[in-house]
Amino acid sequence: MESQNQSNHLKKGSFFSLERKQFTRSVIVIGGGFAGISAARALHDASIQVVLLESRDRLGGRVYTDYSFGFPVDMGASWLHGVCKENPLASLISRMGLPLYRTSGDNSVLYDHDLESYALYDTEGNQVPQELVTKVGIVFEDILKESEKVRDEFRDDMSIMQAFAIVLERRPDLRQEGLAHKVLQWYLCRMEGWFAADADTISLKCWDQEELLSGGHGLMVRGYLPVINTLAKGLHIRLGHSVTKIVRRNYGVKVMVEDGKTFAADAVVIAVPLGVLKAKRIEFEPRLPDWKEEAIAELGVGTENKIALHFGSVFWPNVEFLGVVAPTSYGCSYFLNLHKATGHPVLVYMPAGRLAHDIDKMSDEAAANFAFLQLKKILPDASEPIQHLVSHWGTDVNSLGSYSYDTVGKPHDLYERLRIPVDNMFFAGEATSASYPGTVHGAFSTGQMAAEECRMRVLERYGELDIFNSVMAKETHVPIQISRL
């Protein structure tokens, strides 16, 4: 299995230490998720001496392919959002020959699966007629269109939930009753899943500011681990190295880890999750500027977990999503059917927002039982799972959340503020991507961007910067740095 065959270069302490005093053109990358690996790969390929420090005993961060069932199951990110040449990850995945299972065409964030791929049930196990599912889906889109008018009308921001209430007050024809109301709540539940947050915390003004690439959404059939291993090949990586402090000086940076080791370099790329920055698990000396701290504090970080249930055989319909409709979005839920995409008899329960936080507090066994009880509501004859896997992204100290989102009253440019370097410290990760927040390709692209900015800074220090033979030749886009924040 791939998870057992990672090269020796991933073993703890299996290569040189950056504690040597004489070094030129050196960078430390903190965080072994997609952004960190992307940055380290780019710096390494540009002949910069680089070491990557990762707190976990594995690479990937919030991208985690588990092989406990005997086949790959992604317990973190699992989709490529935007299967097109404009997606910076698409070409890499294509060159590797990795298959994707397309779950939708060019739809909005509302539908990462086509409408006809849903099988919804009420809590008594009665299936919702497909024509009602489709009809209410159209109503939900109409409510969002009306919400745009509310956004234009009100100067101050409000939550998606508040906007919906105003729309339904003004447009009684869009209100739904009985079963249709429960289906409408299920669509709201799915929207909350996209942001990993509850609708009463999601910004009306900013919820649709991300750039949606064409090509629809593609599920990674073999998981993301092959991509991670390919990017990590040949890199100097230290696992189990949790960074506690970063000291920056004009001449370079020093990075301290929990066991007391100190690493030194010309610059550092910080690619840790937003939740870790919020929790101040890393001390900065001197402290970060006010504008940077505000960006960290004000950006939202949501939680979506996965509970994978492995069964002995398939007993559910051949659709991509099984859903439970209820009077509130909190009471709704949904299962991803991996059998349709991968051929393996696995259903993945995917709670988000407050429900995910509540389940985060449960043991793996209790969480799996909770998910199975939800399944029994819609399929009373469901057989017991033979195995289960449970993620706890909200309580995992190395993530403290799943991905970022725009909160009420806060500007979308917080992502860009989080990305902007501070002296010789460069920032990367999905929460630094104003165009693609919350996505793997957003993390990947910001890693590339941070690496190029960092490379230019390091070469500038040594008087080796040649923009005509490097940046312009590669047509690398490096945003202009601004100081008015």
Side-chain angles (χ1 to χ4, degrees):
M1 293 185 294
E2 291 185 72
S3 60
Q4 297 174 345
N5 294 328
Q6 294 191 13
S7 303
N8 288 333
H9 66 271
L10 299 185
K11 294 180 180 179
K12 296 181 182 180
S14 61
F15 41 83
F16 69 89
S17 169
L18 279 183
E19 296 167 277
R20 291 183 293 177
K21 294 182 179 180
Q22 295 299 321
F23 246 115
T24 59
R25 300 182 299 280
S26 59
V27 174
I28 299 167
V29 175
I30 303 174
F34 248 92
I37 296 173
S38 172
R41 176 83 266 154
L43 289 164
H44 173 84
D45 292 350
S47 300
I48 302 291
Q49 194 96 50
V50 60
V51 64
L52 187 152
L53 305 178
E54 165 56 42
S55 59
R56 289 184 171 93
D57 60 0
R58 62 168 179 83
L59 289 177
R62 289 164 286 171
V63 177
Y64 174 48
T65 308
D66 194 293
Y67 286 80
S68 299
F69 293 169
F71 47 83
V73 176
D74 272 328
M75 295 302 292
S78 53
W79 272 274
L80 178 69
H81 296 294
V83 186
C84 61
K85 63 181 180 180
E86 290 77 22
N87 191 316
L89 264 182
S91 60
L92 174 59
I93 291 171
S94 176
R95 290 197 305 272
M96 293 179 63
L98 295 174
L100 291 170
Y101 177 81
R102 193 188 300 269
T103 56
S104 83
D106 290 337
N107 293 318
S108 71
V109 298
L110 306 179
Y111 305 126
D112 51 14
H113 289 65
D114 291 325
L115 286 177
E116 60 269 19
S117 69
Y118 298 154
L120 305 187
Y121 299 79
D122 63 21
T123 53
E124 284 74 46
N126 301 309
Q127 185 168 356
V128 180
Q130 185 59 43
E131 56 268 23
L132 181 60
V133 176
T134 303
K135 176 185 174 182
V136 177
I138 295 171
V139 170
F140 188 66
E141 288 185 323
D142 288 341
I143 293 174
L144 278 171
K145 290 177 183 176
E146 292 297 313
S147 296
E148 292 179 13
K149 298 177 184 178
V150 174
R151 174 167 60 186
D152 295 338
E153 180 181 341
F154 286 82
R155 178 179 177 181
D156 293 334
D157 193 13
M158 67 179 71
S159 70
I160 287 287
M161 186 71 82
Q162 288 175 293
F164 278 24
I166 293 173
V167 169
L168 295 178
E169 180 67 27
R170 294 177 176 180
R171 290 283 305 276
D173 58 302
L174 294 177
R175 297 177 193 170
Q176 304 296 300
E177 303 293 337
L179 183 58
H181 169 76
K182 296 178 181 179
V183 176
L184 183 64
Q185 292 300 305
W186 188 85
Y187 278 107
L188 184 61
C189 170
R190 286 291 296 119
M191 184 181 187
E192 292 174 330
W194 181 271
F195 296 98
D198 296 315
D200 59 1
T201 67
I202 301 169
S203 166
L204 174 65
K205 288 192 179 297
C206 300
W207 76 271
D208 58 353
Q209 295 302 297
E210 65 181 282
E211 182 180 339
L212 298 174
L213 297 175
S214 62
H217 308 276
L219 185 74
M220 297 290 293
V221 174
R222 297 180 190 165
Y224 261 115
L225 182 60
V227 185
I228 294 168
N229 285 342
T230 297
L231 290 172
K233 187 175 181 179
L235 297 181
H236 294 151
I237 298 167
R238 289 202 169 186
L239 301 176
H241 280 56
S242 182
V243 171
T244 57
K245 187 174 183 179
I246 301 172
V247 179
R248 72 182 191 276
R249 297 290 184 264
N250 292 332
Y251 55 83
V253 294
K254 287 186 178 180
V255 174
M256 291 79 161
V257 295
E258 276 185 340
D259 64 1
K261 291 180 182 176
T262 299
F263 297 81
D266 295 310
V268 62
V269 175
I270 300 166
V272 301
L274 175 60
V276 172
L277 292 176
K278 281 180 172 290
K280 299 183 179 180
R281 290 180 55 81
I282 298 176
E283 179 187 354
F284 292 88
E285 182 185 314
R287 56 169 285 206
L288 294 173
D290 290 344
W291 57 267
K292 180 70 77 173
E293 290 188 342
E294 287 172 3
I296 293 170
E298 294 180 354
L299 264 177
V301 58
T303 300
E304 181 178 48
N305 279 316
K306 289 186 175 181
I307 303 172
L309 303 177
H310 182 202
F311 297 92
S313 61
V314 176
F315 52 81
W316 53 87
N318 188 34
V319 293
E320 290 164 9
F321 255 134
L322 298 171
V324 183
V325 303
T328 65
S329 63
Y330 180 86
C332 296
S333 57
Y334 46 90
F335 293 82
L336 170 66
N337 174 19
L338 283 188
H339 182 261
K340 191 169 177 63
T342 68
H344 299 299
V346 174
L347 293 176
V348 183
Y349 184 64
M350 299 171 65
R354 186 161 54 93
L355 179 60
H357 286 295
D358 291 344
I359 294 177
D360 237 339
K361 302 169 186 175
M362 301 179 183
S363 66
D364 285 7
E365 192 71 30
N369 287 336
F370 180 88
F372 183 61
L373 287 175
Q374 302 305 304
L375 185 63
K376 290 279 284 186
K377 289 180 182 178
I378 61 176
L379 300 175
D381 297 328
S383 59
E384 295 273 348
I386 56 177
Q387 290 176 292
H388 63 258
L389 292 169
V390 181
S391 72
H392 295 276
W393 297 115
T395 53
D396 184 338
V397 295
N398 296 303
S399 58
L400 298 174
S402 297
Y403 42 87
S404 58
Y405 73 100
D406 291 280
T407 56
V408 178
K410 306 302 180 184
H412 188 71
D413 69 3
L414 290 175
Y415 293 101
E416 181 65 13
R417 294 191 205 179
L418 186 56
R419 190 200 64 79
I420 293 174
V422 176
D423 298 329
N424 48 4
M425 297 193 306
F426 300 82
F427 295 79
E430 56 82 16
T432 70
S433 176
S435 298
Y436 314 119
T439 66
V440 179
H441 64 276
F444 177 83
S445 61
T446 59
Q448 297 282 296
M449 191 183 303
E452 179 60 18
E453 292 173 327
C454 182
R455 185 190 69 85
M456 291 173 66
R457 176 63 180 266
V458 170
L459 294 184
E460 178 187 29
R461 175 186 173 187
Y462 290 99
E464 299 173 356
L465 182 60
D466 184 351
I467 63 172
F468 295 102
N469 291 326
S470 57
V471 178
M472 294 181 70
K474 295 181 180 180
E475 296 184 350
T476 303
H477 173 65
V478 179
I480 296 175
Q481 300 302 312
I482 57 175
S483 58
R484 187 174 181 271
L485 292 167

